[in-house]
Protein backbone atom coordinates (compact mmCIF):
# COMPACT_ATOMS: atom_id res chain seq x y z
CA UNK A 1 0.00 0.00 0.00
CA UNK A 2 2.78 2.45 0.90
CA UNK A 3 4.60 1.43 -2.29
CA UNK A 4 1.55 2.30 -4.41
CA UNK A 5 1.16 5.64 -2.61
CA UNK A 6 4.79 6.52 -3.24
CA UNK A 7 4.40 5.60 -6.89
CA UNK A 8 1.38 7.90 -7.20
CA UNK A 9 3.31 10.72 -5.51
CA UNK A 10 6.17 10.26 -7.99
CA UNK A 11 3.74 10.44 -10.90
CA UNK A 12 2.11 13.59 -9.49
CA UNK A 13 5.56 15.07 -8.88
CA UNK A 14 6.50 14.41 -12.51
CA UNK A 15 3.39 16.19 -13.74
CA UNK A 16 4.12 19.23 -11.58
CA UNK A 17 7.80 19.29 -12.54
CA UNK A 18 6.86 19.08 -16.22
CA UNK A 19 4.63 22.12 -15.84
CA UNK A 20 7.31 24.03 -13.92
CA UNK A 21 9.92 23.12 -16.55
CA UNK A 22 7.72 24.37 -19.39
CA UNK A 23 7.09 27.60 -17.47
CA UNK A 24 10.82 28.11 -16.82
CA UNK A 25 11.65 27.47 -20.49
CA UNK A 26 9.01 30.00 -21.55
CA UNK A 27 10.45 32.48 -19.05
CA UNK A 28 13.96 31.92 -20.46
CA UNK A 29 12.73 32.49 -24.02
CA UNK A 30 10.83 35.61 -23.02
CA UNK A 31 13.77 37.08 -21.11
CA UNK A 32 16.15 36.28 -23.98
CA UNK A 33 13.88 38.10 -26.43
CA UNK A 34 13.40 41.13 -24.16
CA UNK A 35 15.39 44.20 -25.11
CA UNK A 36 16.29 46.23 -22.01
CA UNK A 37 15.65 49.95 -22.16
CA UNK A 38 18.55 52.37 -22.16
CA UNK A 39 18.31 54.67 -19.14
CA UNK A 40 21.59 56.44 -19.86
CA UNK A 41 21.07 59.39 -22.19
CA UNK A 42 24.75 60.23 -22.71
CA UNK A 43 26.93 57.09 -22.53
CA UNK A 44 26.58 53.36 -22.88
CA UNK A 45 27.03 52.29 -19.23
CA UNK A 46 23.28 52.10 -18.57
CA UNK A 47 22.45 49.75 -21.43
CA UNK A 48 25.55 47.66 -20.68
CA UNK A 49 24.46 47.22 -17.06
CA UNK A 50 20.91 46.39 -18.16
CA UNK A 51 22.17 43.77 -20.61
CA UNK A 52 24.48 42.23 -18.00
CA UNK A 53 21.52 42.10 -15.56
CA UNK A 54 19.51 40.34 -18.27
CA UNK A 55 22.28 37.75 -18.70
CA UNK A 56 22.50 37.20 -14.93
CA UNK A 57 18.74 36.61 -14.84
CA UNK A 58 19.10 34.13 -17.70
CA UNK A 59 21.89 32.35 -15.81
CA UNK A 60 19.65 32.04 -12.74
CA UNK A 61 16.71 30.81 -14.81
CA UNK A 62 19.03 28.33 -16.52
CA UNK A 63 20.12 27.04 -13.11
CA UNK A 64 16.48 26.58 -12.11
CA UNK A 65 15.82 24.74 -15.37
CA UNK A 66 18.75 22.41 -14.69
CA UNK A 67 17.58 21.71 -11.15
CA UNK A 68 14.04 21.02 -12.33
CA UNK A 69 15.25 18.69 -15.09
CA UNK A 70 17.57 16.78 -12.75
CA UNK A 71 14.80 16.41 -10.15
CA UNK A 72 12.40 15.13 -12.78
CA UNK A 73 14.95 12.57 -13.99
CA UNK A 74 15.67 11.50 -10.41
CA UNK A 75 11.94 10.90 -9.82
CA UNK A 76 11.80 8.84 -13.01
CA UNK A 77 14.86 6.90 -11.85
CA UNK A 78 13.12 6.01 -8.57
CA UNK A 79 9.98 5.04 -10.48
CA UNK A 80 12.11 2.86 -12.77
CA UNK A 81 13.25 0.83 -9.77
CA UNK A 82 9.73 -0.47 -9.22
CA UNK A 83 8.97 -3.75 -10.98
CA UNK A 84 6.50 -3.91 -13.84
CA UNK A 85 4.73 -1.20 -15.82
CA UNK A 86 7.43 -1.12 -18.45
CA UNK A 87 5.26 0.83 -20.91
CA UNK A 88 4.70 3.61 -18.35
CA UNK A 89 8.43 3.80 -17.74
CA UNK A 90 9.16 3.98 -21.47
CA UNK A 91 6.51 6.68 -21.97
CA UNK A 92 8.06 8.68 -19.13
CA UNK A 93 11.48 8.26 -20.72
CA UNK A 94 10.18 9.62 -24.01
CA UNK A 95 8.62 12.62 -22.24
CA UNK A 96 11.90 13.33 -20.44
CA UNK A 97 13.83 13.07 -23.72
CA UNK A 98 11.49 15.68 -25.21
CA UNK A 99 12.14 17.91 -22.20
CA UNK A 100 15.90 17.52 -22.61
CA UNK A 101 15.54 18.50 -26.27
CA UNK A 102 13.46 21.52 -25.24
CA UNK A 103 16.24 22.61 -22.88
CA UNK A 104 18.88 21.95 -25.55
CA UNK A 105 17.09 24.40 -27.86
CA UNK A 106 17.10 27.28 -25.36
CA UNK A 107 20.60 28.67 -26.09
CA UNK A 108 19.47 29.28 -29.66
CA UNK A 109 17.00 31.90 -28.45
CA UNK A 110 19.78 33.93 -26.88
CA UNK A 111 22.10 33.36 -29.86
CA UNK A 112 19.42 34.83 -32.15
CA UNK A 113 19.18 38.14 -30.29
CA UNK A 114 22.70 38.59 -28.97
CA UNK A 115 23.91 40.64 -31.95
CA UNK A 116 20.81 42.82 -31.68
CA UNK A 117 21.47 43.35 -27.97
CA UNK A 118 25.15 44.13 -28.52
CA UNK A 119 24.16 46.61 -31.23
CA UNK A 120 22.42 48.73 -28.59
CA UNK A 121 25.75 49.44 -26.90
CA UNK A 122 26.66 52.64 -28.68
CA UNK A 123 27.30 56.22 -27.70
CA UNK A 124 28.77 59.21 -29.41
CA UNK A 125 30.78 60.07 -26.29
CA UNK A 126 32.42 56.64 -25.80
CA UNK A 127 35.57 55.56 -27.55
CA UNK A 128 35.59 52.49 -29.78
CA UNK A 129 37.71 50.67 -27.18
CA UNK A 130 35.22 51.43 -24.39
CA UNK A 131 32.31 50.23 -26.50
CA UNK A 132 34.16 47.05 -27.46
CA UNK A 133 35.08 46.38 -23.83
CA UNK A 134 31.43 46.73 -22.79
CA UNK A 135 30.26 44.47 -25.62
CA UNK A 136 32.85 41.89 -24.57
CA UNK A 137 31.56 42.02 -20.98
CA UNK A 138 28.00 41.38 -22.15
CA UNK A 139 29.17 38.68 -24.56
CA UNK A 140 31.02 36.93 -21.69
CA UNK A 141 27.89 37.07 -19.50
CA UNK A 142 25.83 35.69 -22.38
CA UNK A 143 28.36 32.90 -22.82
CA UNK A 144 27.91 31.89 -19.19
CA UNK A 145 24.12 31.91 -19.58
CA UNK A 146 24.34 29.78 -22.73
CA UNK A 147 26.90 27.38 -21.27
CA UNK A 148 24.84 26.86 -18.11
CA UNK A 149 21.78 25.77 -20.07
CA UNK A 150 23.84 23.61 -22.42
CA UNK A 151 25.47 21.91 -19.43
CA UNK A 152 22.07 21.28 -17.86
CA UNK A 153 20.81 19.69 -21.07
CA UNK A 154 23.89 17.49 -21.44
CA UNK A 155 23.74 16.45 -17.79
CA UNK A 156 20.04 15.68 -18.19
CA UNK A 157 20.77 13.61 -21.27
CA UNK A 158 23.48 11.64 -19.43
CA UNK A 159 21.24 11.06 -16.40
CA UNK A 160 18.35 9.91 -18.60
CA UNK A 161 20.67 7.60 -20.52
CA UNK A 162 21.93 6.06 -17.28
CA UNK A 163 18.37 5.40 -16.09
CA UNK A 164 17.50 4.04 -19.54
CA UNK A 165 20.38 1.58 -19.23
CA UNK A 166 19.05 0.59 -15.81
CA UNK A 167 15.64 -0.13 -17.34
CA UNK A 168 17.23 -2.26 -20.04
CA UNK A 169 19.27 -4.14 -17.45
CA UNK A 170 16.23 -4.81 -15.27
CA UNK A 171 14.23 -6.03 -18.27
CA UNK A 172 16.82 -8.75 -18.98
CA UNK A 173 16.29 -12.26 -17.68
CA UNK A 174 18.66 -12.92 -14.81
CA UNK A 175 20.05 -16.14 -13.36
CA UNK A 176 21.42 -16.49 -9.89
CA UNK A 177 23.95 -19.19 -9.09
CA UNK A 178 24.26 -20.15 -5.46
CA UNK A 179 27.39 -21.86 -4.27
CA UNK A 180 26.67 -24.12 -1.35
CA UNK A 181 28.97 -26.33 0.62
CA UNK A 182 27.73 -28.94 3.03
CA UNK A 183 26.89 -26.39 5.76
CA UNK A 184 25.53 -23.34 4.01
CA UNK A 185 25.71 -20.67 1.38
CA UNK A 186 29.24 -19.55 0.53
CA UNK A 187 28.63 -17.44 -2.59
CA UNK A 188 26.12 -15.97 -5.02
CA UNK A 189 26.75 -15.00 -8.61
CA UNK A 190 24.32 -13.00 -10.74
CA UNK A 191 24.32 -13.37 -14.50
CA UNK A 192 22.13 -11.38 -16.86
CA UNK A 193 21.21 -12.87 -20.23
CA UNK A 194 20.50 -10.42 -23.02
CA UNK A 195 17.19 -10.79 -24.78
CA UNK A 196 17.89 -11.87 -28.33
CA UNK A 197 16.29 -9.79 -31.06
Amino acid sequence: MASQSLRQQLEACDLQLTQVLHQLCAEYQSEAARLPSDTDTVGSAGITDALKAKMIKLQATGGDIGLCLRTRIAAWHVLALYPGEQQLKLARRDAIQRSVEEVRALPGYLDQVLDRDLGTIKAFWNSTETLQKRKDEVRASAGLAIQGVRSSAEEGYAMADKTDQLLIEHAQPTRYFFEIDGFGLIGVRREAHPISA
Side-chain angles (χ1 to χ4, degrees), residues 2-3 6 10 16 18-19 27 30 34 44-45 49 78-79 81 84 88 91 103 138 143-145 148 167 175 183 190:
S3 172
L6 180 59
L10 286 170
Q16 292 172 347
T18 300
Q19 292 170 347
E27 184 179 320
S30 174
R34 183 181 67 81
S44 60
D49 291 343
V78 172
L79 182 67
L81 297 175
L88 172 67
V103 172
V138 172
L144 292 174
L167 282 173
R175 290 186 188 165
F183 300 103
R190 178 178 176 258

Side-chain angles (χ1 to χ4, degrees), residues 87-131:
Q87 293 304 319
L88 172 67
K89 294 172 187 176
L90 293 175
R92 188 68 41 83
R93 178 200 62 197
D94 292 343
I96 287 174
Q97 288 293 80
R98 286 190 301 274
S99 293
V100 169
E101 291 305 317
E102 181 181 7
V103 172
R104 272 187 172 169
L106 289 176
Y109 291 98
L110 185 53
D111 282 337
Q112 289 174 1
V113 298
L114 186 57
D115 286 335
R116 176 205 70 186
D117 287 357
L118 292 174
T120 62
I121 301 175
K122 56 188 173 192
F124 177 75
W125 304 106
N126 291 136
S127 68
T128 304
E129 294 82 23
T130 300
L131 293 174

Side-chain angles (χ1 to χ4, degrees), residues 68-81:
C68 186
L69 187 61
R70 287 190 305 273
T71 304
R72 190 164 170 228
I73 294 169
W76 173 55
H77 184 91
V78 172
L79 182 67
L81 297 175

